Structures are given as C-alpha cells and as structure tokens.
Amino acid sequence: MSHSPIHALVVGANRGIGLALTEALLARGDRVSASCRTAPPAHQATGTRWIEGVDITQDAGLQRLVKAVDSPIDLLIVNAGVLGSERLGGLDDDALASIRRQFEVNALAPLRVVAALRHRLPQGSRVGLLTSRMGSISDNTSGGYYGYRMSKAALNAAGRSLAHDLRNNGIALRLLHPGFVRTDMTGGQGDTDPATAARGLLARLDELSLAHSGEFWHAQGQELPW
C-alpha cells in the first residue's frame, strides 16, 4: 500500500525514540519538522527542519515553537519524558523536586504543546502522545517510581480529555507506550531498539481513526489497561 506524504512534527527529537521517529518519517518520504533544545550535529544535513531552542516546559520555548510552525500539521508526536526512581523510604526534598519536575515534563508540557498548536491541526490530523505502561494503575504490580508513574498517569488522563475535546474538530489522538527501549533515559537497558519502537509507534498512528481516539496502546499493537 502506497504512502501519501504528510507534514509531521516531532517534539523532543534530538535523540533516542524522538530521533528514530524523525528518521523513520523521512525514510518513507514525509516532510518532517522536529523541535528540541539542541539539534544533533550529525543530523543537521538531513531533510528534517530542526526547530532549536525549544524547552516545552517554558513559555518562551512554546512561543518559539508556535512561531516556527507556519503550516498545517498532519501528524503531531509529543515525545517528552524524564525518569526518576523515587522510593517510599527516600522521599526527601530532592526526591520531591524530581517528582515535580517529572509532572512538568511528562504531563503538563505535552498538554501545553497540543493546546498551543491546536490551530495548526486540520481536520483529519492525528496526535500521538508518548506515555508509558508505568502510568497504568491496574498494571502496577511492583510499586516505586512515584514521579514517573504519577506523571504518566496524569498524561493519560490529559490525553483522554484532549481526545474528547479535539474530536469535534476531526482530530484523533492516541496515547502510546513505546516499549522498554534502549535509550539514554533507560541507561541503555531495554528489550527493543529505538528504530523498532519508532516503526511500531508510526504503525499505531497510521491506523488511528476517530473511532479509536483516546485509547492507550503498546507500540507492538496491544491495547493497554488504564
């Protein structure tokens, strides 16, 4: 089946899964914009349009992103994430600061991005928010990781609300768990590589329709529990 080129914007694209997504989109012929704080030097010469100096937790970064995106976005992927490892016996001031930071990056920032760019999302466009199955309440069988679990659960709640609010404009949204991916964030641990995760994520977004907007899926193709 042939693929019709689209304009995709990947937010948080300078490494790991975000960079793999830009590469996969380019490889299939899409026009790609990518935002980050600093673009990876080795990729400056690719076909990606890099939007640098964007910290999506800050008003100035959001304004820079909005100003730079001057055409409709067919596919918006928000890949924002930081991971802490707080435990019940160590909730000191540093741990609480880490939890607050994770809420800012993992939950509030993606919501702010979608809200800021909604005027660039035409009818029929799709939004992918990268979350984690660690944000699933019913799937939590081991505890710990308070900031990451709580912030990703908050992102799931925000994504579900966004799906309802965007539906009348013909915009579909899916919450996506990429898998346990070998990246800097996981310390190089994981059972899959960024390129494989990116292919799965794009497959889940390619198949997305309004009938399935607001759902929570694994990149490999399984719907996940809340």
Side-chain angles (χ1 to χ4, degrees):
M1 184 176 179
S2 63
H3 171 73
S4 298
I6 61 171
H7 177 214
L9 170 62
V10 181
V11 177
N14 65 320
R15 61 182 181 174
I17 298 169
L19 183 56
L21 283 164
T22 66
E23 292 170 341
L25 288 160
L26 283 171
R28 70 184 198 177
D30 292 326
R31 182 163 63 93
V32 184
S33 300
S35 78
C36 57
R37 281 176 289 187
T38 305
H43 291 267
Q44 294 280 14
T46 69
T48 300
R49 179 195 178 203
W50 290 97
I51 305 167
E52 297 188 77
V54 175
D55 180 347
I56 59 173
T57 67
Q58 303 295 320
D59 290 343
L62 282 172
Q63 291 167 6
R64 185 179 184 89
L65 178 61
V66 171
K67 184 177 180 180
V69 179
D70 54 5
S71 61
I73 305 165
D74 302 301
L75 176 62
L76 170 62
I77 303 175
V78 185
N79 173 49
V82 291
L83 171 66
S85 57
E86 305 81 21
R87 299 289 177 177
L88 183 58
L91 293 179
D92 56 15
D93 288 346
D94 288 343
L96 293 175
S98 173
I99 290 171
R100 292 187 183 96
R101 175 63 177 167
Q102 287 170 86
F103 267 97
E104 285 285 344
V105 175
N106 297 347
L108 288 176
L111 173 61
R112 295 180 72 192
V113 167
V114 177
L117 293 174
R118 67 189 186 279
H119 66 289
R120 288 295 184 196
L121 297 170
Q123 184 173 355
S125 59
R126 288 156 291 153
V127 177
L129 302 181
L130 264 65
T131 181
S132 171
R133 71 185 306 162
M134 288 181 71
S136 168
I137 294 172
S138 61
D139 192 54
N140 184 350
T141 60
S142 59
Y145 292 94
Y146 283 94
Y148 197 71
R149 291 188 187 280
M150 293 164 65
S151 61
K152 289 297 189 178
L155 174 60
N156 288 350
R160 186 76 170 188
S161 284
L162 282 167
H164 287 298
D165 291 337
L166 295 172
R167 180 179 295 274
N168 287 340
N169 293 326
I171 302 165
L173 179 146
R174 181 165 268 179
L175 291 143
L176 293 166
H177 168 61
F180 187 22
V181 186
R182 294 186 292 271
T183 64
D184 289 345
M185 192 175 80
T186 63
Q189 299 180 19
D191 52 25
T192 190
D193 59 86
T196 301
R199 287 194 296 271
L201 292 166
L202 291 180
R204 303 290 76 77
L205 289 167
D206 287 343
E207 71 190 16
L208 175 59
S209 67
L210 284 175
H212 296 280
S213 188
E215 295 177 348
F216 178 22
W217 281 71
H218 194 298
Q220 293 177 351
Q222 306 86 36
E223 189 169 6
L224 295 172
W226 297 107

